[in-house]
Amino acid sequence: MTARNTFAQGMTLTWRSLVPLRNQPGELIQLLLQPIFMIVIFVVVFGAMSGDQSGAVQRLLPGVLTQVALTQTITTGLRLAEDIGNGVFDRFRSMPIARSAPLMGRILADTATMTLTVAVALLVGSVVGFRIRTSPLEALGGVALLLAFTLALGWVSAWLGLRARSAASMQGLATAVLLPLSFGSTALIPAANMPGALQWWARLNPVSHLADSLRSLFTGGPVGANVWITLGWIVAITACFVPLAVRTYARRIR
Amino acid sequence: MSNTIEAEGLVKRYGDKTALDGVDLEARAGSVLGVLGPNGAGKTTAVRILATLVGPDGGVARVGGHDVTREPAKVRELIGLTGQYASVDEKLTGRQNLMMIGRLLGLGRAPARARAEDLIGRFGLQNAADRAAQTYSGGMRRRLDLAVSLVGEPSIIFMDEPTTGLDPQVRAELWTVVREQIARGATVLLTTQYLEEADQLADEIVLIDRGKVSARGTPDELKARAGDRRLEIRPEHDAEKAERILAEVTGLRPHRGENGVISVPVLDPALPPAALRRLDDAGIVLTEHALRRPTLDEAFLALVAAPAEGLTDHTAANAAERRSA
């Protein structure tokens, strides 16, 4: 199997994962509605409650963006579990293609949809009044940091999906992992406003560092150690879960 | 190149369950091997091993001359897989499914499109080609699944219960496709629960039951082995009693059909008159009786059930029910 063949097969399988978005309007709408709903509910409604609409939008949107992106990392493992469950995976395995192509296609396709989701979320954010106050370089750095973090989590998701008995159990498992990460963080509420134990967890939680990094990189203010801590987490998660996912994958495709 | 399939002593265990317990299979180049057996007999496990999807716990298998565990990549270049386990992508249209497989197999965009178009035509999927596969009926899905497995024009084709649950018309259509593949020179291994299907398509049949080969041979050989002729009776009443008498006289388990006909192999020409006499003595009136060649169905039952051990043994009856269900 030459590298060129492997790449071509990976691209074909990326296409295969993205083309349903074009086939079925429902799929695309579902993908776009999630960021829109989350922003409307958390940013607009909570903002209106707080009285200071524009200040709330500036504070909350980076957090909601983090949560939207986090939720979407489930897709990677969920689709892998589906492919295993309904036999598509076996079809690929019985064919003379690179063993890595199906996993590569999945990750590439999910990175593409994640980029789209982040772009839509920022667009919707700007409609409800969110303004980036920093330099384009800092803003791009923020987007890159978010994408790198979700890619790292995508490998965790892949690992869970490859181990799960079914797509449904993958979804349950992933939700159990994501909820404390997503809501036990400073994405929406500052740690200072939390009760003791939760505060301790929120300060430890990598998602807090990510959300705080994004706030600084998009709206200004001291970046501090948050970006470095987030980068550290990205490296640690990637170093841990890429080998785990690849090993589980190798066992499943044998 | 030899398009043969050979397996010797295949063993596969799942936990403490033995799915295959020393199965030998052989398909000559260009022939159809029918692997016949009830649900859970181990047919699918055998196909999965031969298609390089799982490794055997014991035994060796060569497909197209290549060892499935040592040279799986070589095997994958030769085979097409269809049926229960290989599946289509539900979210893609029929055409996109075919295109995807063509592209994965290294066809350029235009040749992949042409190949897809050709298969869409041959499998009568024109009207559904641009709809997502999840909207397809059972029969259409199987046709697409089979079409997908033929994109690479494989020289060895595994079909795992390709027609289970389909209505007779769709089954007959799929049989036509199988015959086309044989005409093209492909070797086919077909698993099925339907005796009629094996009889129609297979050059040789291997009967698997609970992970073991219980019989093998050509359809005619298997029929012959079940007894040259069968005695068939249709009692007006007391069917159970009539069945017991036939069992006592022949020492074999009679088969009771849905139409009230009870039949049993008769190896000794002296047996039919004796059986009829006994039935008469018991006061059982027969609306019909006849001697005839067995069907494969009966051969199957006779071979699986072996000698009757009295009427408390329901295994064969259950097997028959499963198949007719």
Side-chain angles (χ1 to χ4, degrees):
Chain A
M1 200 63 56
T2 68
R4 214 179 126 197
N5 284 347
T6 304
F7 179 74
Q9 290 155 3
M11 289 317 285
T12 298
L13 291 171
T14 306
W15 168 84
R16 167 252 168 177
S17 295
L18 292 176
V19 85
L21 293 176
R22 200 184 65 197
N23 279 356
Q24 282 151 319
E27 295 253 338
L28 186 61
I29 290 168
Q30 206 186 347
L31 184 75
L32 300 183
L33 274 186
Q34 203 232 347
I36 295 171
F37 274 147
M38 292 277 284
I39 287 169
V40 169
I41 292 168
F42 285 103
V43 178
V44 179
V45 175
F46 281 13
M49 274 162 57
S50 77
D52 171 18
Q53 177 77 37
S54 79
V57 167
Q58 290 297 90
R59 198 177 64 249
L60 288 173
L61 192 106
V64 172
L65 178 64
T66 308
Q67 293 189 327
V68 165
L70 230 58
T71 310
Q72 202 172 303
T73 58
I74 295 182
T75 314
T76 305
L78 190 62
R79 297 282 182 260
L80 284 173
E82 279 172 6
D83 280 353
I84 291 169
N86 64 22
V88 171
F89 224 68
D90 281 341
R91 159 88 66 207
F92 295 149
R93 290 176 51 213
S94 75
M95 291 175 61
I97 62 172
R99 303 285 88 192
S100 59
L103 188 58
M104 180 177 146
R106 184 75 266 153
I107 297 276
L108 283 178
D110 291 340
T111 305
T113 45
M114 184 63 79
T115 310
L116 179 68
T117 302
V118 170
V120 168
L122 285 175
L123 202 72
V124 176
S126 80
V127 171
V128 299
F130 179 70
R131 295 290 173 267
I132 289 175
R133 304 281 184 212
T134 53
S135 69
L137 202 66
E138 280 170 291
L140 277 179
V143 170
L145 192 69
L146 178 60
L147 290 178
F149 190 85
T150 54
L151 181 59
L153 278 193
W155 287 99
V156 181
S157 176
W159 178 67
L160 290 175
L162 289 164
R163 287 176 57 95
R165 278 172 200 283
S166 68
S169 79
M170 158 64 203
Q171 189 140 31
L173 214 59
T175 310
V177 173
L178 275 184
L179 272 182
L181 277 177
S182 182
F183 285 95
S185 77
T186 58
L188 299 179
I189 308 160
N193 297 3
M194 294 178 186
L198 191 60
Q199 199 174 113
W200 172 82
W201 164 246
R203 288 191 202 281
L204 196 73
N205 188 347
V207 176
S208 300
H209 297 289
L210 174 66
D212 292 341
S213 300
L214 292 189
R215 245 188 296 273
S216 308
L217 288 167
F218 289 149
T219 65
V223 172
N226 278 325
V227 172
W228 296 110
I229 295 173
T230 308
L231 281 172
W233 275 109
I234 291 170
V235 171
I237 294 170
T238 308
C240 234
F241 284 92
V242 171
L244 274 178
V246 168
R247 212 181 61 190
T248 310
Y249 179 75
R251 229 186 343 237
R252 282 221 100 138
I253 63 165
R254 217 197 57 82
Chain B
M1 189 176 60
S2 61
N3 303 340
T4 53
I5 302 168
E6 305 152 277
E8 274 167 48
L10 286 186
V11 175
K12 184 71 192 175
R13 292 182 207 92
Y14 291 105
D16 54 0
K17 258 199 70 186
T18 302
L20 289 179
D21 191 5
V23 167
D24 297 347
L25 295 172
E26 194 177 350
R28 286 170 290 112
S31 74
V32 179
L33 175 65
V35 177
L36 185 63
N39 263 333
K43 304 187 297 291
T44 296
T45 305
V47 168
R48 287 176 69 77
I49 290 172
L50 293 171
T52 76
L53 295 179
V54 293
D57 294 324
V60 286
R62 277 179 301 277
V63 171
H66 301 293
D67 189 289
V68 293
T69 37
R70 273 178 306 185
E71 303 175 289
K74 292 251 172 63
V75 172
R76 289 175 191 132
E77 283 177 19
L78 302 174
I79 63 171
L81 175 62
T82 190
Q84 281 188 157
Y85 275 85
S87 183
V88 297
D89 188 334
E90 305 240 320
K91 289 181 176 173
L92 301 194
T93 67
R95 190 189 308 277
Q96 287 166 343
N97 265 294
L98 292 163
M99 285 280 294
M100 167 178 75
I101 300 297
R103 299 284 284 151
L104 285 176
L105 291 174
L107 295 180
R109 210 177 290 269
R113 197 182 305 273
R115 189 93 187 93
E117 200 56 51
D118 170 43
L119 287 163
I120 287 166
R122 267 173 49 205
F123 283 82
L125 291 167
Q126 292 92 336
N127 294 330
D130 294 311
R131 270 179 18 219
Q134 62 195 2
T135 67
Y136 283 22
S137 69
M140 281 159 68
R141 284 175 65 106
R142 298 293 180 88
R143 273 186 282 165
L144 177 61
D145 190 60
L146 190 50
V148 162
S149 72
L150 298 179
V151 169
E153 302 199 301
S155 53
I156 297 170
I157 305 168
F158 296 107
M159 297 183 179
D160 190 19
E161 300 197 15
T163 66
T164 298
L166 296 184
D167 60 57
Q169 194 204 329
V170 183
R171 266 167 87 190
E173 280 172 28
L174 287 177
W175 289 356
T176 310
V177 175
V178 175
R179 292 197 179 98
E180 279 170 18
Q181 296 306 313
I182 303 159
R184 180 170 74 74
T187 306
V188 177
L189 185 148
L190 172 109
T191 77
T192 181
Q193 302 186 35
Y194 303 118
L195 297 145
E196 190 197 358
E197 188 159 284
D199 198 8
Q200 285 277 333
L201 297 174
D203 298 307
E204 271 183 271
I205 295 175
V206 170
L207 227 127
I208 298 189
D209 192 35
R210 278 162 282 175
K212 286 189 166 146
V213 174
S214 53
R216 67 174 80 230
T218 64
D220 282 341
E221 280 168 4
L222 291 183
K223 285 178 203 167
R225 210 177 303 172
D228 286 337
R229 290 185 296 178
R230 298 184 69 87
L231 174 62
E232 280 189 0
I233 60 166
R234 192 204 292 268
E236 207 172 65
H237 51 86
D238 281 336
E240 305 241 327
K241 199 169 164 192
E243 199 174 320
R244 200 157 49 236
I245 289 170
L246 286 189
E248 280 165 19
V249 174
T250 60
L252 295 169
R253 161 174 281 281
H255 170 57
R256 183 147 23 139
E258 280 157 27
N259 48 4
V261 173
I262 303 171
S263 68
V264 69
V266 282
L267 305 166
D268 178 348
L271 284 180
L276 293 175
R277 233 174 1 252
R278 283 279 304 275
L279 289 164
D280 192 35
D281 288 347
I284 296 170
V285 180
L286 304 178
T287 50
E288 257 178 56
H289 66 269
L291 267 174
R292 56 170 196 76
R293 285 265 293 164
T295 64
L296 195 58
D297 213 343
E298 291 151 346
F300 179 74
L301 273 178
L303 291 163
V304 170
E309 295 162 28
L311 297 175
T312 49
D313 176 12
H314 289 293
T315 334
N318 288 343
E321 267 166 40
R322 267 202 305 275
R323 276 192 324 281
S324 58

